[in-house]
Amino acid sequence: MTTYKLALIPGDGIGVDVTDAAMKVMAAAASRFGFALESESFPWSCAYYLEHGTMMPEGGIETLRGFDAIYLGAVGWPATVPDSVSLHGLLLPIRKAFNQYANIRPHRLLPGVEGPLKAEGFDILCIRENTEGEYSGAGGRLHEGKDNEVAVETSVFTRAGVERILRFGFEQARARRGHLTSVTKSNAQKYSMVFWDEVTRELAAEYPDVTVSHMHIDAMAAKMVMAPQDLDVVVASNLFGDILTDLGAAIQGGLGFAASANINPDRSAPSMFEPVHGSAPDIAGQNIANPIAAIWSGAQMLEHLGEAEASTAVLAAIEAATAKGIGIRPGLNTTQEITAAVIAALEA
């Protein structure tokens, strides 16, 4: 029997609730498909920061390196720790240290879920560059608090970074419906985004079986609202991908359905899986958080680990639950009820 070692970082707020739910489903999948999951939980969170002055201990990255995958619930408690501290102290260092440069976020309506749009038949896979670009952390502030204060934030785009995320997007498009949309703002950002467009055109010559479209970020936002069914694979920079995937979550019914995977494609280090939603401190511990995004992220984890059959079965179980009207609207069912429904469908 194959055993996979998982590092669990439940984090803050409802991250604890949905991690528990997702791991119950993962355990049911492991039992059904004949593999084992061995997990170790780490208390790294904003509460940990308040006690220790850091989001994770020194050597935390090396501790995580020995695992097959990392599962993250949610991080953030802005009332006590600024988001800039929690993000740059935990999530971003993990993504960068393990070269998790491909952030994968699927957007489609689950059976029984009503989105805000008339369109229903859309299936969008957003590929977000995850380690550089606008979130590189390059910059600084001078003369803080004075009239001449200056803040500089520098986006960093490397040929290696841009080429590899675009190539990853092309491969995903080739495996799906053969259409890639590259999103930039090259009419206004005449260096970084023109560079991105040029690399896209260069790589397109290697993928003659993939149709390529170029769209500006503002036009893409409109496209996702007006005609999402026309989109297949969307690839974008760190910032643009971050924004578009929240829009994608909205059109698929809300953040409670939005899954994500932070992938190291060459598998030289563990990948990390997490729901897109935040920690929602106001509803933490109340058994009302929707765990579907967390469970879907777990299905992505199983696929990455090589358990494709189990991953497909978990997704089918999610769909079976929502088709019965379970978990389709906030507050309709408890976290426990949704989890139980997914497990029941998985074991049926």
Side-chain angles (χ1 to χ4, degrees), residues 26-317:
M26 296 305 104
S31 177
R32 175 180 167 184
F33 290 94
F35 58 91
L37 298 174
E38 180 183 300
S39 63
E40 182 176 350
S41 187
F42 298 91
W44 306 338
S45 61
C46 289
Y48 185 92
Y49 177 85
L50 291 176
E51 183 176 352
H52 300 279
T54 181
M55 290 296 296
M56 62 178 165
E58 184 177 353
I61 292 295
E62 290 310 306
T63 298
L64 294 175
R65 193 178 296 277
F67 289 87
D68 296 309
I70 303 163
Y71 186 91
L72 177 74
V75 173
W77 203 283
T80 57
V81 178
D83 285 340
S84 58
V85 171
S86 57
L87 183 68
H88 286 273
L90 186 64
L91 187 61
L92 294 187
I94 293 173
R95 289 175 175 173
K96 293 176 181 179
F98 295 141
N99 209 18
Q100 298 167 353
Y101 66 82
N103 185 271
I104 305 173
R105 300 187 177 186
H107 301 295
R108 58 184 175 85
L109 280 176
L110 295 170
V113 177
E114 293 184 6
L117 306 180
K118 294 179 181 179
E120 294 183 354
F122 60 87
D123 181 1
I124 306 169
L125 190 67
C126 281
I127 307 297
R128 166 190 170 191
E129 200 291 315
N130 214 30
T131 58
E132 56 177 48
E134 303 90 347
Y135 293 178
S136 298
R141 293 174 64 179
L142 299 172
H143 314 301
E144 293 186 44
K146 300 178 181 179
D147 291 343
N148 62 337
E149 183 170 1
V150 177
V152 177
E153 194 90 31
T154 303
S155 299
V156 178
F157 291 86
T158 66
R159 175 168 287 274
V162 174
E163 182 173 317
R164 70 186 182 182
I165 193 62
L166 286 168
R167 193 176 295 280
F168 187 88
F170 273 107
E171 294 292 342
Q172 295 297 311
R174 173 175 278 174
R176 284 169 49 98
R177 302 193 302 276
H179 186 203
L180 178 79
T181 304
S182 175
V183 181
T184 64
K185 188 61 178 172
S186 50
N187 58 341
Q189 296 175 283
K190 63 180 183 177
Y191 301 116
S192 61
M193 295 288 95
V194 169
F195 170 59
W196 182 293
D197 284 348
E198 290 173 353
V199 176
T200 304
R201 285 190 289 269
E202 290 172 11
L203 290 180
E206 299 181 28
Y207 296 88
D209 52 328
V210 176
T211 302
V212 181
S213 299
H214 298 260
M215 293 193 71
H216 293 150
I217 177 66
D218 42 355
M220 172 54 83
K223 181 82 168 182
M224 289 182 70
V225 172
M226 301 300 293
Q229 68 278 3
D230 293 344
L231 298 169
D232 181 14
V233 174
V234 174
V235 62
S237 69
N238 216 330
L239 174 62
F240 291 169
D242 193 2
I243 294 169
L244 287 176
T245 50
D246 268 23
L247 178 55
I251 66 173
Q252 72 180 121
L255 286 168
F257 304 107
S260 78
N262 303 278
I263 298 295
N264 174 311
D266 67 14
R267 300 175 183 269
S268 60
S271 294
M272 180 167 61
F273 304 84
E274 56 171 325
V276 173
H277 62 67
S279 59
D282 57 321
I283 63 169
Q286 299 178 37
N287 193 30
I288 59 176
N290 188 342
I292 288 178
I295 297 169
W296 194 339
S297 300
Q300 291 180 291
M301 180 177 67
L302 294 181
E303 181 180 15
H304 183 72
L305 290 173
E307 300 294 342
E309 190 177 4
S311 174
T312 299
V314 170
L315 283 174

